Amino acid sequence: MQIKLHYKENQKDADKITAFLSNVSDRFLFHIPLYEITKIFNMKREDVLNIFIQGVYDGVFILEWIYHCPICGNVAFEAPSLHYASSQNFCTACNKVFNNTLDDNIEVCFSIHPQLKVLDPSFQAQYMADIGQNIHNGKLRSWEHPHVLRGVDIVQNNLYRTLMASELLIGGQSLLLKQATVLFTDLNASTRFYLDQGDIKAFVLVKEYIRIFFDIIESYHGVPVKTMGDSIMAVFSDPCLAFDAAVKAQQILTQQVQNRAETERLEIKMGLHSGSALLVTLNNRLDYFGLTVNLAAHIHRTARANEIVISQKLYDNPAIKRSIRAVTTTVQKQQIRFKYIADDYTLYHIKVPNEGTAVAAKGEAGASNSTMPV
């Protein structure tokens, strides 16, 4: 068996994993425990995952999607591709229909490609037998532990989205994501900016802003989902990384434009909100849908130039509060009711860069504002 892994971002680590996998037992090559490899070689989980995703693309591994029953942990469905995913499956052990959730019951495993090595079928049989025994012994959800790779780890991976862009949900299916932090960015006073610069120059400057944001979003393990004119939508699994990415992007952009003429200085406004979302296929690509996305879009429209606006759920996160303190000593608190939504929302406006002052936001009807210490 000849294994050769290629990864242009870190070929040295890819070579280490190649040598290691060339000398392991066949059993290790079934549902390869990536966490053991990260521990053995002291590598970052994201780097190892990228090497294996590249390996899937190159035909070294296969990626298996395993749909566990969220009640008992039984394997209700297995598939080699996201194409086969459905929002619901049936558990024969529980005799119940259940909803699939990317960051809960959907596990993903890498195994050696059959063209390189045909593994003994007993490995799969033993895997299923172990799960059955756990269910019999009352060890429900025994597959659930921190080392498990879940569906969210794959769909939120930018290399996967690049190499396997054709891996889409089909037939109108959707998959739930319990925890998603959605970031929207937008160009402040864009019409005036286009009038001042002209379309050609404005396009060049906006394209550079989009590149900066995309690079930072990816470096903070977020997914830049799409652009809509001069607006960007991104989704993160970690809300703290989402906020830190927003701060970093704003600071870098401010530094980039500080030596330009005032009319050439792009000013960006941003909004973030966390909650559940649906992974769907729209316009032939993976996208996100739901109230969380809609509210994040509403929230970013309340921001003024160089502000990040976050919802109460994000503000209550202790790690995000620490990040806010590194930017400013005060925030602008706003009570607002969005159109067509009955509930009031509390928003927090954070001025970037670290100017030590809070700037009042232009809210919608029914909004009230107050300045408060962090």
Side-chain angles (χ1 to χ4, degrees), residues 220-233:
Y220 281 80
H221 306 303
V223 170
V225 179
K226 59 187 174 184
T227 59
M228 298 151 286
D230 48 50
S231 178
I232 298 171
M233 174 186 168

Side-chain angles (χ1 to χ4, degrees), residues 102-129:
L102 281 160
D103 44 0
D104 183 21
N105 73 298
I106 301 176
E107 182 182 7
V108 289
C109 294
F110 293 86
S111 296
I112 196 71
H113 199 290
Q115 290 184 345
L116 295 180
K117 179 76 175 182
V118 177
L119 298 177
D120 193 318
S122 65
F123 299 149
Q124 173 70 16
Q126 187 61 52
Y127 168 72
M128 297 298 292

Side-chain angles (χ1 to χ4, degrees), residues 131-361:
I131 290 178
Q133 188 62 44
N134 284 330
I135 295 172
H136 178 75
N137 294 336
K139 297 180 180 178
L140 307 184
R141 298 174 67 97
S142 59
W143 50 273
E144 186 176 47
H145 55 79
H147 300 309
V148 165
L149 283 170
R150 304 195 188 280
V152 65
D153 298 315
I154 301 300
V155 300
Q156 284 290 113
N157 182 282
N158 286 293
L159 183 62
Y160 172 80
R161 283 177 172 252
T162 298
L163 296 181
M164 277 75 116
S166 62
E167 287 279 297
L168 302 171
L169 295 165
I170 60 176
Q173 297 295 332
S174 63
L175 292 173
L176 178 66
L177 186 60
K178 290 197 298 185
Q179 178 61 47
T181 299
V182 182
L183 164 67
F184 276 95
T185 80
D186 207 353
L187 179 61
N188 186 58
S190 58
T191 301
R192 185 181 65 197
F193 183 77
Y194 299 147
L195 287 171
D196 289 343
Q197 302 303 316
D199 288 346
I200 294 176
K201 188 172 183 180
F203 174 74
V204 172
L205 295 172
V206 169
K207 187 177 179 181
E208 175 65 7
Y209 131 72
I210 291 174
R211 184 195 64 78
I212 290 170
F213 267 71
F214 270 44
D215 288 347
I216 293 171
I217 290 165
E218 291 185 4
S219 70
Y220 281 80
H221 306 303
V223 170
V225 179
K226 59 187 174 184
T227 59
M228 298 151 286
D230 48 50
S231 178
I232 298 171
M233 174 186 168
V235 174
F236 297 77
S237 297
D238 187 328
C240 301
L241 289 178
F243 181 78
D244 290 344
V247 171
K248 186 68 172 180
Q250 192 70 271
Q251 289 173 336
I252 288 180
L253 189 65
T254 300
Q255 184 180 14
Q256 288 277 95
V257 303
Q258 65 183 354
N259 294 323
R260 294 178 182 171
E262 187 172 346
T263 57
E264 295 181 5
R265 295 179 186 175
L266 287 167
E267 294 181 320
I268 303 302
K269 52 187 182 180
M270 289 185 271
L272 296 100
H273 183 50
S274 284
S276 62
L278 289 179
L279 182 77
V280 299
T281 297
L282 289 175
N283 298 320
N284 203 35
R285 64 184 172 199
L286 292 177
D287 204 337
Y288 298 81
F289 180 84
L291 182 59
T292 298
V293 177
N294 186 267
L295 285 172
H298 278 304
I299 288 168
H300 102 279
R301 295 189 192 104
T302 71
R304 297 183 71 179
N306 300 328
E307 271 190 348
I308 300 170
V309 184
I310 64 175
S311 58
Q312 183 75 57
K313 184 175 182 179
L314 289 167
Y315 184 78
D316 288 340
N317 187 308
I320 291 179
K321 279 191 176 179
R322 288 193 293 270
S323 294
I324 294 173
R325 292 189 189 103
V327 176
T328 184
T329 57
T330 59
V331 298
Q332 188 80 17
K333 182 178 180 180
Q334 178 185 28
Q335 292 291 126
I336 190 168
R337 178 171 294 185
F338 296 115
K339 192 175 182 181
Y340 302 122
I341 299 177
D343 297 329
D344 289 337
Y345 283 86
T346 303
L347 307 180
Y348 296 86
H349 296 248
I350 298 100
K351 187 70 175 178
V352 177
N354 186 9
E355 298 175 350
T357 58
V359 177

